[in-house]
């Protein structure tokens, strides 16, 4: 049975391997080979070839893909080996990805951060580790990128909601039942039920869990202010 490891442990193992890797190592596999079987299904591992002068021509090679079951087809499009000019979400690429790669390869130092962003039709939170090729002779020629996806949620409507609906979403996110919401808001269960059904239709939610996920993706249920 494969032994899965935490992002923190895998990051440490990869960073240790990077520290002891030879200058100008041509193949990043020497750093990631031993951790492949430790990756969790929510992790993505990729190598970015950064030899081109134009970042649009950097080549992304996906080594290990996100394997958590999901109906969001966008995840497949984001995990295709391609040049960055072909990446399907150019806004995310230029705001989040390219600046980090350039920082890492120019400074030739590891970069670790946590990203919260919209990507295509999803809202995501992920941890990221970037390890550039150790190369004292010049700019690093590749980056090894490890991503630990904490959650993926579909995007939802962003138009303002009535105060009562914000309250309903907040309590649903806290696990309250329709009866408990009705008692707290001094409304009938029938009224709350109807409002929940209208919210489901507005958000395109299939059920209550889906509604809460969509609301959280817009920062509605977790921050009603």
């Amino acid at each position: 049975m494969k032994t899965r490891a935490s992002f923190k442990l895998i990051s440490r193992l990869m960073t240790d391997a990077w520290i002891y890797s030879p200058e100008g190592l041509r193949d990043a596999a020497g750093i990631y080979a031993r951790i492949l079987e430790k990756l969790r299904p929510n992790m993505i591992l990729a190598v970015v070839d950064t030899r081109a002068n134009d970042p649009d021509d950097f080549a992304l090679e996906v080594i290990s893909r996100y394997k958590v079951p999901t109906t969001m087809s966008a995840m497949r499009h984001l995990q295709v080996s391609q040049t960055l000019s072909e990446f399907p979400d150019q806004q995310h690429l230029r705001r989040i990805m390219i600046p980090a790669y350039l920082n890492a390869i120019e400074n030739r130092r590891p970069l670790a951060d946590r990203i919260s962003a919209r990507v295509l039709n999803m809202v995501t939170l992920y941890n990221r580790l970037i390890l550039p090729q150790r190369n004292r002779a010049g700019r690093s020629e590749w980056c090894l990128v490890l991503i630990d996806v904490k959650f993926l949620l579909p995007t939802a409507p962003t138009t303002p909601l009535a105060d009562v609906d914000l309250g309903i979403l907040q309590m649903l996110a806290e696990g309250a039942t329709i009866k408990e919401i009705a008692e707290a808001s001094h409304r009938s269960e029938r009224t709350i039920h109807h409002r929940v059904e209208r919210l489901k239709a507005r958000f395109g939610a299939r059920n209550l869990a889906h509604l809460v996920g969509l609301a959280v993706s817009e920062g509605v249920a977790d921050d009603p202010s």
Side-chain angles (χ1 to χ4, degrees):
M1 180 180 294
K2 296 179 180 179
T3 302
R4 306 297 187 179
S6 67
F7 176 76
K8 182 178 181 180
L9 175 58
I10 292 176
S11 295
R12 181 170 61 79
L13 293 173
M14 288 176 57
T15 302
D16 286 348
W18 175 83
I19 290 172
Y20 293 105
S21 65
E23 291 286 332
L25 181 67
R26 305 299 299 176
D27 189 351
I31 295 175
Y32 68 73
R34 294 184 179 180
I35 58 89
L36 279 177
E37 292 194 348
K38 297 182 183 296
L39 295 178
R40 293 181 178 273
N42 64 311
M43 294 178 178
I44 301 168
L45 183 69
V47 176
V48 182
D49 184 328
T50 59
R51 287 175 294 178
N53 291 325
D54 187 344
D56 281 351
D57 295 326
F58 289 178
L60 174 71
E61 180 186 3
V62 180
I63 306 301
S64 182
R65 289 172 170 76
Y66 183 81
K67 300 180 182 67
V68 175
T70 176
T71 59
M72 289 182 279
S73 60
M75 279 304 291
R76 293 196 298 273
H77 303 310
L78 294 171
Q79 299 181 83
V80 175
S81 294
Q82 58 197 315
T83 62
L84 296 192
S85 64
E86 299 171 304
F87 192 76
D89 190 325
Q90 288 291 304
Q91 181 176 355
H92 184 74
L93 173 77
R94 300 185 188 286
R95 187 169 65 89
I96 302 295
M97 296 169 63
I98 287 179
Y101 299 156
L102 292 176
N103 181 305
I105 64 177
E106 289 172 1
N107 294 313
R108 300 186 295 278
R109 296 174 61 87
L111 186 154
D113 53 11
R114 171 170 283 204
I115 304 296
S116 176
R118 291 173 179 268
V119 187
L120 294 180
N121 61 345
M122 303 177 296
V123 174
T124 182
L125 173 70
Y126 61 87
N127 295 317
R128 177 176 64 179
L129 172 68
I130 301 177
L131 296 173
Q133 177 199 42
R134 296 180 66 244
N135 184 8
R136 292 179 184 173
R139 197 180 75 171
S140 300
E141 296 183 347
W142 51 258
C143 286
L144 183 57
V145 184
L146 175 65
I147 290 175
D148 176 52
V149 180
K150 307 310 292 183
F151 68 71
L152 289 174
L153 294 171
T155 55
T158 57
T159 51
L161 293 170
D163 290 349
V164 60
D165 290 331
L166 287 171
I168 289 171
L169 288 171
Q170 178 65 49
M171 293 195 69
L172 286 173
E174 294 172 4
T177 64
I178 297 296
K179 181 179 180 180
E180 290 169 334
I181 295 172
E183 291 174 350
S185 62
H186 306 291
R187 289 177 169 83
S188 69
E189 290 183 43
R190 182 182 180 87
T191 296
I192 299 302
H193 176 76
H194 284 326
R195 296 198 80 101
V196 167
E197 289 302 310
R198 286 201 294 269
L199 284 167
K200 285 165 61 178
R202 176 175 180 170
F203 279 79
R206 295 189 295 273
N207 50 51
L208 284 181
H210 194 200
L211 174 60
V212 170
L214 288 167
V216 169
S217 76
E218 292 303 323
V220 176
D222 61 348
D223 185 13
S225 63

